[in-house]
Amino acid sequence: MNAEMLLLTALTIITAATPLVYAAIGELVVEKSGVLNLGVEGMMLGGAVSSFALLHLTGNAYFGILGGAFAGIFLAGIFAVLTLGLQASQVATGLALTIFGTGLTALLGKSLVGVGHSGLQKLPIPFLSDLPVLGRLLFQQDVLVYGSFLIVPLVAWFLYRTSAGLTLRSVGDSHDAAHALGINVLRWRLLATLFGGACAGVAGAYLSLAYTPMWVENMTAGRGWIALALVVFATWRPGRMMFGAYLFGAISILQLHGQAWGIRVPSQLMSMLPYLATIMVLVVISRDRGKIRKHAPQSIGKSFYPTT
Amino acid sequence: MSQQVSDSGVLLNLQGISKSFPGCLANDNIDLQIREGQIHALLGQNGAGKSTLVKIIYGILQADAGTLHWRGEEVRIDNPGVARARGIAMVFQHFSLFESLSVIENIAIGLRGSGSSGKPTAQLRNRIHDVSSRYGLPLELDRPVYTLSVGEKQRIEIVRCLLQSPKLLVMDEPTSVLTPQEVATLFETLRKLAAEGTAILYISHKLDEIRALCSRATILRNGRKVAVADPATESSESLAAMMIGETATVLSHDNSNSGSTDKGRPRLSVNNLSLSDGDSQGVALQDVSFDVHAGEILGIAGVAGNGQDELMLALSGETRITPAAAITLHHESGLQAIAQSSPQERRTMGLCVVPEERLGHAAVPDMPLYENALLTAFKRMSLSRAGWISKAASHEFARQIIEKYQVVCRDSDATAASLSGGNLQKFVVGREIEQHPDVLVIAQPTWGVDAGAATTIRRALLTLAQAGAAVLVISQDLDELLQISDRVVAICGGRMSATYPAASLDASTIGILMGGGELPSSGLTT
Amino acid sequence: MIRLYKRPAPSRLWIFLAPLVAMVLTLLSGLILFSLLGVPVVEAFYAFFIEPLTSVYGLAELGVKAAPLIMIGVVLSVCFRAGVWNIGAEGQFILGAICGAAVGLSLKEVEAFWVLPLMMLAGIAGGMLWASIPALLRTRFNTNEILTSLMLTYVASLLLAYMVIGPLQDPFGFNFPQSALFHKAATLPVVWPNTRLHLGFVVALMLVGLVWLLMSRSMLGFSLLVTGSAPRAGRFAGFSVNRSVWVTMLVSGGVAGLAGLFEVAGPIGQLLPKISPGYGFTAIIVAFVGRLHPVGVLFAGLLLALSYLGGESAQISLNLPVAVTGVFQGLLLFFLLAADVLIHYSLKPVTTAPAEFTGLTNTQAQHVANSEQGAP
């Protein structure tokens, strides 16, 4: 193995990690507000098909990204109406969102199967992109990869350094106490849920615009669920989440490079790795109840409705 | 009285406040006047409408009818933010704190919108320091709240309120979780505030406190204002009469010479029971030992969170303890070590338990009463055979409890959640007593229960003890313990005090024990 | 403005009405969707909902599709009522199929009556094995069973894909990714001659009765309901939550595995890379639409089976994508969850006028007490 191969591997890890970063950081904010949206997979599919359709219609990938975000917001909006407005079970509604999203995107995307596009342009950053190794790795990427580098520190800053972030965390910790302070619990949860939808939509957009510039039915292949697991793995902390996303990116591209590295295992079995790894990390994290207790939003998954 | 809107000393004037919930009227045409610098009591039983009224004042609820004047000006308080902006602050009965946030974050968020950035800044730190040293309320600002004691949590709430320099401080049952000594410190703080001109609306049903602290009292009953009185000139009996509407019935229980005469042989023994805390930060129980004898009621006094919950779970079998001999039952045939036994096995051996929380612990909220009867009685009352349920027998047992304990409900098909607190408590207590246990362990038997139900329950416990059972009562209600117990022991920080005959104690001596202190003369211990 | 008001007790009426309302709303949305897609609405509805029921073949196929849905739905409803979120029935279904098929294929020389029962046992064991992983992780390490059971579904699909090109591939199958066809003794008997309706449907009906009996009359069922509804009350009574997790996971895994074996040993006849159109996931909808009650699940299973048949029929006659089925299923679940709000809440416009009042009755006083203790 030579340096060039290592660099290529690192580049593919970034590609595999980027959609996870978006989906997981969105869900992290949602869960910090006390909402558990299990529909990430469905929202990602919605983002993927809409962004590809918009790319197909307009020829402009940036419209695609916007379309993906709005598709995610739309689907998260359905979830919000049901769980925040009508007090439906968050677990059941999230599952419904994934089932619905899978069916709807398969239906809407029927005519897009087999269509090819060039996908998202790389945008080398002047000067920085000329750096050896790092330049190619970090500064010759597309706008969504740059965005994924920025969004995690931004969310961390928002959550832990701003008044609004504190309010959001308080809503997730105890909606009754927040309500008693005059905080509009449902509005904060709505905003967080919609933000999570936008992020999941962008994650999907990255898949269909950059990762493999095309639309395939069910193309997320469980990444939405892995993102959910990542949030637990990170014990709701953005920095650890970023680390986890890259770890999973690395595991999931093992199957691509496995053959080249001389690993003689059938590809189907290699493909199991990300899922098995997810289970492993969930076990490791869940064992430590103290850590979960310390960082988990206390009112996650519980419905709230002001009784006036 | 009601036309003093222009009076300059009146801070808050409520007139004709009504508030209804689906199916009930919580506040019915209530008037209330609070003056600057006044400590004003709002007195009433559970369900009298006190909490609803203060929630309206603080903007959590909106009145259906009536007016609210603040310093002579008619105002609408649509939400707590508006209330705070006017200078109204509130300390809740169940703290509205965020457990996973730090102390300073909790304070910062409570100050949102009142001229503060809502962020934990260095400037805020200084202000907190000023207030806490001035009123003697020390705080550790960077600790997460879930690691604090109840008293410390209340301090956060009070400091948070004081930082807003409130004109009116509303306190909802602030002493229910404090030792008598902590209560004394709190009263000092409140008197100091009142002397500086802050009005305090003090909600309680504890008559002695109100007589000691308040200069005015508004008394509510069934959602209506029934009287305004000067507590200093009233007796506890007269205040109680206004609050309850009839002369309070006093249970006759002669415990004056109990303790000196041994009532019977021990039935339940706890021997050197120690338990580590779940969060591995210390011990929950340390070397706890006591006996409960046949025919007696042993009361365990203590402020919540001092190991009572852990003790209950260990006794009920929800946590198993090693060695098994840490808890023993005494039978004719000899000793039985049960600390390793399951809850079902313990019931079969004659130990029944009533936990503190009715809904979700003692009873399944969404299940009908007959299934809740089945829940603990299926073995002792033979409500199931070979794994199959007898619905008829379950209904019969539930009806028997409903009738004997005068449980107000539709029928044995009504869900536990549809009953009021007092009626469900009567059902739960009845369910355990009707299984004729040799030993009954009961926590907070009359917490949040109306006076009638409380009397029924206490009487049932006395009857059970007279019939020869050993009864262990864990309660925060000192009056209750002194009233029904033969002997009393206090728990503090997971350690037990010595045991004293109830007749030799009063509220202040128990207070010393609850705070971990010792009584000077130890000759009284049994 | 309209607000929700919590009902004092759940409305029994709406427990039954909600699924009907949801069905009507789903049909209406379908109507809008079809007209937006430019599909002739009347024809589409006929093709989707009526045509499949007009022939003997159609009715039998309804049973074929309903069998796995009812089998899995009825055991999932037990899981959900016990508070155990087994979302991985699809994976347990696949594992049952793989294990049962492995037994059947390895006995291809044997024409004996015990081959099929042995395959069924292997199917049950396979499903149980797969379900025991999330059960073990939840009870030992407190790991969320939603995520683990779901991850295992992806693993199971990949395992199946590997099996049909690896150990279980048909050696004379021209390298197609599939197993050999099952021989006669390994094939599920048909209960309706000249159709594909198989033993599985009978088993599904028996399961409905059995689960009904267990959940309404046995202490085991009662203990599951208690630990699901109020875990602390369960511990207090002496019912272990971990035991509930194990019982429900093993039962649901075993039944899902058996359904998987039925599918490959019956209608399909061999192992293929894809053996299920998402029965394991649709069964979640079946359980909810069926109100987590065995009899409700029976009807819901037939309804959702119709959505599969309708999708196929609409594909043939109107060239609509099969994915329409998924959309209908998702919509149905959405509308059901929305309609369910009426079980626990009543919708009323906000009034600011003072309420008429004639004195506080006993029950009203209770509500005051409740609201004082419980209201935030």
Side-chain angles (χ1 to χ4, degrees):
Chain A
M1 198 188 308
N2 54 35
E4 179 64 16
M5 249 181 90
L6 263 178
L7 185 66
L8 282 175
T9 309
L11 280 169
T12 39
I13 290 176
I14 292 177
T15 320
T18 300
L20 294 177
V21 169
Y22 278 111
I25 198 74
E27 180 66 14
L28 188 144
V29 171
V30 177
E31 293 190 13
K32 270 287 178 192
S33 82
V35 176
L36 178 66
N37 185 352
L38 294 180
V40 181
E41 182 87 359
M43 298 189 296
M44 279 178 79
L45 281 168
V49 78
S50 329
S51 56
F52 192 75
L54 271 172
L55 169 67
H56 184 56
L57 286 174
T58 65
N60 186 332
Y62 297 103
F63 282 128
I65 296 174
L66 271 180
F70 276 106
I73 289 176
F74 171 73
L75 290 171
I78 298 178
F79 177 86
V81 167
L82 285 168
T83 58
L84 303 178
L86 296 175
Q87 304 295 291
S89 146
Q90 293 181 6
V91 171
T93 311
L95 289 171
L97 190 61
T98 290
I99 293 171
F100 177 72
T102 312
L104 185 70
T105 53
L107 178 66
L108 297 176
K110 208 72 193 174
S111 59
L112 297 172
V113 175
V115 177
H117 279 283
S118 58
L120 207 52
Q121 294 259 309
K122 302 275 187 211
L123 293 175
I125 293 176
F127 309 117
L128 288 176
S129 56
D130 299 332
L131 290 171
V133 188
L134 275 186
R136 265 184 76 192
L137 200 57
L138 301 179
F139 301 112
Q140 296 183 21
Q141 297 284 3
D142 58 55
V143 64
L144 284 179
V145 175
Y146 294 138
S148 77
F149 295 156
L150 292 178
I151 193 167
V152 175
L154 269 176
V155 165
W157 171 80
F158 168 79
L159 283 177
Y160 295 100
R161 290 280 176 272
T162 69
S163 164
L166 179 59
T167 310
L168 186 89
R169 285 187 289 138
S170 76
V171 167
D173 187 87
S174 165
H175 46 224
D176 291 331
H179 179 65
L181 283 173
I183 295 168
N184 189 332
V185 173
L186 292 181
R187 188 171 69 198
W188 281 96
R189 289 194 169 163
L190 173 69
L191 290 175
T193 305
L194 296 183
F195 174 76
C199 287
V202 170
Y206 184 80
L207 286 176
S208 67
L209 297 179
Y211 190 75
T212 50
M214 58 173 169
W215 163 253
V216 186
E217 204 175 299
N218 223 345
M219 69 185 299
T220 47
R223 284 186 184 84
W225 295 102
I226 292 179
L228 278 159
L230 270 177
V231 178
V232 181
F233 165 75
T235 54
W236 295 269
R237 284 175 288 180
R240 278 185 62 130
M241 192 284 297
M242 187 90 175
F243 168 74
Y246 275 80
L247 186 69
F248 273 82
I251 294 169
S252 63
I253 59 114
L254 264 182
Q255 47 175 305
L256 300 177
H257 294 272
Q259 302 285 344
W261 295 343
I263 301 172
R264 295 269 165 266
V265 176
S267 68
Q268 286 87 354
L269 299 188
M270 288 296 284
S271 305
M272 292 176 187
L273 274 178
Y275 309 111
L276 294 175
T278 307
I279 295 173
M280 292 295 291
V281 298
L282 279 175
V283 169
V284 171
I285 293 297
S286 322
R287 288 182 72 169
D288 190 350
R289 288 177 198 227
K291 219 175 212 158
I292 296 273
R293 169 79 184 78
K294 199 167 160 196
H295 296 284
Q298 293 300 298
S299 56
I300 190 162
K302 292 178 192 153
S303 296
F304 174 75
Y305 197 78
T307 51
T308 52
Chain B
M1 279 278 303
S2 60
Q3 295 310 313
Q4 293 174 347
V5 178
S6 56
D7 188 331
S8 61
V10 175
L11 187 66
L12 179 70
N13 189 359
L14 303 184
Q15 284 179 312
I17 297 291
S18 293
K19 174 73 186 176
S20 64
F21 294 109
C24 81
L25 195 72
N27 283 173
D28 178 17
N29 197 24
I30 292 180
D31 297 339
L32 176 69
Q33 273 196 350
I34 304 168
R35 294 170 161 274
E36 284 171 11
Q38 185 182 54
I39 305 185
H40 192 120
L42 190 58
L43 183 63
Q45 293 196 70
N46 288 299
K50 295 172 304 202
S51 294
T52 304
L53 187 65
V54 295
K55 280 176 187 161
I56 290 170
I57 293 174
Y58 195 55
I60 298 173
L61 298 175
Q62 271 70 45
D64 299 333
T67 58
L68 207 147
H69 287 84
W70 179 254
R71 296 181 146 169
E73 175 198 352
E74 178 159 358
V75 291
R76 277 182 61 90
I77 299 181
D78 289 326
N79 61 60
V82 175
R84 280 197 302 272
R86 293 269 171 200
I88 303 174
M90 179 158 174
V91 176
F92 291 88
Q93 177 182 10
H94 304 289
F95 304 133
S96 58
L97 291 174
F98 304 99
E99 296 277 322
S100 67
L101 305 187
S102 70
V103 172
I104 188 161
E105 283 179 329
N106 266 281
I107 293 177
I109 197 163
L111 298 178
R112 282 175 351 125
S114 57
S116 160
S117 64
K119 277 199 290 183
T121 57
Q123 186 204 357
L124 181 62
R125 267 172 206 277
N126 292 333
R127 286 180 59 206
I128 295 171
H129 184 74
D130 290 346
V131 168
S132 58
S133 55
R134 180 157 170 215
Y135 294 100
L137 301 160
L139 289 176
E140 286 177 70
L141 292 184
D142 292 309
R143 274 179 69 179
V145 167
Y146 71 90
T147 62
L148 302 180
S149 75
V150 191
E152 288 170 307
K153 287 179 186 174
Q154 191 183 49
R155 287 210 286 273
I156 303 176
E157 289 265 16
I158 296 174
V159 168
R160 182 160 82 176
C161 288
L162 295 186
L163 281 169
Q164 304 164 48
S165 328
K167 305 286 177 299
L168 172 65
L169 180 62
V170 183
M171 304 204 79
D172 191 1
E173 306 261 1
T175 59
S176 58
V177 291
L178 302 181
T179 63
Q181 283 71 19
E182 283 175 311
V183 170
T185 319
L186 174 69
F187 281 9
E188 282 312 305
T189 309
L190 294 182
R191 289 199 184 101
K192 197 167 178 181
L193 280 167
E196 290 169 7
T198 309
I200 293 162
L201 181 60
Y202 189 89
I203 296 132
S204 182
H205 61 263
K206 294 185 182 169
L207 306 169
D208 296 339
E209 285 183 2
I210 282 171
R211 291 179 57 222
L213 183 71
C214 303
S215 59
R216 200 96 185 126
T218 297
I219 296 137
L220 301 186
R221 188 165 77 224
N222 285 348
R224 294 189 177 129
K225 185 190 84 175
V226 290
V228 179
D230 178 0
T233 63
E234 299 282 341
S235 67
S236 288
E237 286 73 21
S238 63
L239 285 174
M242 288 185 255
M243 185 166 91
I244 298 167
E246 62 201 62
T247 320
T249 50
V250 177
L251 281 181
S252 62
H253 170 51
D254 178 26
N255 59 10
S256 55
N257 64 352
S258 57
S260 54
T261 58
D262 189 42
K263 281 217 162 185
R265 41 188 204 83
R267 272 294 172 84
L268 169 75
S269 297
V270 172
N271 315 305
N272 304 105
L273 174 62
S274 292
L275 251 182
S276 64
D277 198 332
D279 283 351
S280 71
Q281 296 196 346
V283 288
L285 291 173
Q286 195 165 14
D287 253 349
V288 168
S289 298
F290 58 85
D291 292 321
V292 194
H293 298 258
E296 78 159 351
I297 296 182
L298 175 67
I300 298 184
V303 175
N306 273 290
Q308 293 97 325
D309 294 350
E310 288 81 0
L311 180 62
M312 274 304 284
L313 294 176
L315 288 170
S316 74
E318 287 160 82
T319 32
R320 312 284 164 87
I321 310 287
T322 39
I327 305 172
T328 32
L329 283 178
H330 302 250
H331 285 286
E332 261 78 49
S333 48
L335 294 179
Q336 253 175 331
I338 61 162
Q340 285 283 309
S341 308
S342 74
Q344 287 177 29
E345 287 164 342
R346 294 183 198 204
R347 277 184 206 109
T348 330
M349 291 184 260
L351 171 71
C352 288
V353 177
V354 180
E356 173 181 349
E357 206 177 317
R358 292 179 281 270
L359 281 178
H361 197 181
V364 184
D366 296 334
M367 281 191 171
L369 291 180
Y370 81 89
E371 288 189 331
N372 271 302
L374 183 67
L375 187 67
T376 63
F378 62 94
K379 273 231 173 88
R380 274 184 93 78
M381 304 307 289
S382 309
L383 305 181
S384 73
R385 230 161 250 147
W388 296 95
I389 296 166
S390 165
K391 278 201 175 185
S394 306
H395 273 293
E396 184 48 42
F397 183 53
R399 282 193 208 107
Q400 187 190 328
I401 301 165
I402 291 167
E403 194 175 324
K404 187 159 177 192
Y405 292 83
Q406 294 150 22
V407 179
V408 179
C409 62
R410 206 180 62 235
D411 54 25
S412 53
D413 271 318
T415 62
S418 71
L419 268 65
S420 74
N423 281 307
L424 183 58
Q425 184 70 0
K426 283 194 279 188
F427 183 84
V428 169
V429 172
R431 176 183 71 190
E432 304 305 327
I433 291 182
E434 289 310 302
Q435 295 180 43
H436 305 296
D438 300 324
V439 180
L440 179 74
V441 177
I442 181 165
Q444 319 298 353
T446 59
W447 175 81
V449 157
D450 61 89
T455 309
T456 311
I457 290 166
R458 288 175 191 155
R459 193 168 285 147
L461 293 176
L462 290 170
T463 313
L464 181 70
Q466 273 155 20
V471 180
L472 178 67
V473 178
I474 300 175
S475 177
Q476 290 184 60
D477 187 337
L478 301 188
D479 296 335
E480 170 171 270
L481 286 178
L482 291 174
Q483 198 181 29
I484 63 172
S485 312
D486 297 288
R487 295 184 303 147
V488 174
V489 60
I491 187 167
C492 176
R495 293 166 182 272
M496 286 286 195
S497 73
T499 315
Y500 297 87
S504 71
L505 296 171
D506 57 28
S508 69
T509 44
I510 296 189
I512 294 170
L513 298 175
M514 282 161 67
E518 281 174 32
L519 296 186
S521 61
S522 58
L524 286 168
T525 54
T526 58
Chain C
M1 199 186 153
I2 291 178
R3 295 196 65 94
L4 305 180
Y5 289 97
K6 186 125 188 145
R7 294 180 194 272
S11 158
R12 286 175 184 272
L13 176 71
W14 276 100
I15 290 178
F16 297 105
L17 274 186
L20 300 178
V21 169
M23 269 170 65
V24 171
L25 289 175
T26 307
L27 290 181
L28 284 176
S29 322
L31 204 120
I32 295 166
L33 187 69
F34 281 152
S35 50
L36 282 179
L37 289 173
V39 178
V41 172
V42 177
E43 282 87 339
F45 266 70
Y46 180 79
F48 214 98
F49 296 105
I50 312 291
E51 198 179 354
L53 302 178
T54 53
S55 63
V56 166
Y57 168 81
L59 287 174
E61 281 300 299
L62 190 71
V64 172
K65 298 269 192 291
L69 290 178
I70 295 171
M71 285 176 70
I72 304 173
V74 84
V75 285
L76 283 189
S77 68
V78 175
C79 281
F80 297 162
R81 293 196 72 180
V84 179
W85 289 94
N86 179 9
I87 304 301
E90 182 82 1
Q92 293 141 21
F93 180 94
I94 292 171
L95 250 283
I98 293 175
C99 293
V103 170
L105 293 168
S106 63
L107 295 173
K108 63 173 182 282
E109 310 296 327
V110 186
E111 286 290 351
F113 72 92
W114 48 264
V115 172
L116 192 64
L118 199 64
M119 289 167 69
M120 286 161 65
L121 284 179
I124 292 172
M128 280 187 171
L129 172 80
W130 217 236
S132 70
I133 300 171
L136 180 76
L137 299 182
R138 155 104 189 242
T139 52
R140 278 294 295 278
F141 305 118
N142 196 29
T143 312
N144 181 319
E145 73 276 13
I146 298 180
L147 290 171
T148 50
S149 64
L150 202 114
M151 287 294 134
L152 285 169
T153 297
Y154 288 99
V155 176
S157 305
L158 290 164
L159 187 65
L160 176 62
Y162 168 68
M163 284 295 171
V164 292
I165 59 150
L168 298 180
Q169 190 178 29
D170 183 1
F172 310 106
F174 308 102
N175 223 13
F176 277 109
Q178 61 188 41
S179 78
L181 286 168
F182 292 117
H183 61 297
K184 192 157 179 306
T187 306
L188 205 59
V190 164
V191 292
W192 189 352
N194 303 322
T195 71
R196 301 202 300 167
L197 192 69
H198 55 80
L199 189 64
F201 191 73
V202 181
V203 172
L205 293 180
M206 282 161 45
L207 263 176
V208 167
L210 189 67
V211 168
W212 189 9
L213 190 68
L214 280 173
M215 294 309 282
S216 63
R217 285 284 186 271
S218 77
M219 279 310 287
L220 176 68
F222 179 67
S223 70
L224 297 178
L225 295 178
V226 170
T227 51
S229 177
R232 287 183 66 211
R235 265 194 298 277
F236 171 63
F239 306 140
S240 144
V241 173
N242 282 354
R243 177 167 158 269
S244 293
V245 172
W246 275 108
V247 167
T248 54
M249 278 303 231
L250 289 182
V251 167
S252 58
V255 168
L258 183 63
L261 179 271
F262 282 165
E263 196 65 16
V264 291
I268 299 179
Q270 68 187 131
L271 270 191
L272 297 174
K274 192 165 161 47
I275 55 168
S276 157
Y279 287 135
F281 294 113
T282 305
I284 298 170
I285 305 180
V286 168
F288 279 112
V289 176
R291 319 275 67 188
L292 305 182
H293 188 282
V295 177
V297 165
L298 176 64
F299 289 108
L302 291 169
L303 177 71
L304 272 292
L306 179 62
S307 77
Y308 277 119
L309 277 191
E312 288 174 6
S313 150
Q315 184 188 25
I316 294 164
S317 54
L318 293 162
N319 205 20
L320 278 175
V322 195
V324 170
T325 301
V327 177
F328 269 112
Q329 293 179 353
L331 279 175
L332 181 63
L333 187 47
F334 274 146
F335 284 123
L336 182 81
L337 290 167
D340 272 358
V341 73
L342 292 167
I343 295 174
H344 296 287
Y345 296 87
S346 56
L347 295 174
K348 277 182 200 145
V350 172
T351 51
T352 43
E356 201 67 23
F357 184 63
T358 52
L360 210 61
T361 66
N362 193 16
T363 50
Q364 287 168 334
Q366 288 168 17
H367 283 297
V368 185
N370 289 343
S371 70
E372 291 228 323
Q373 283 159 25

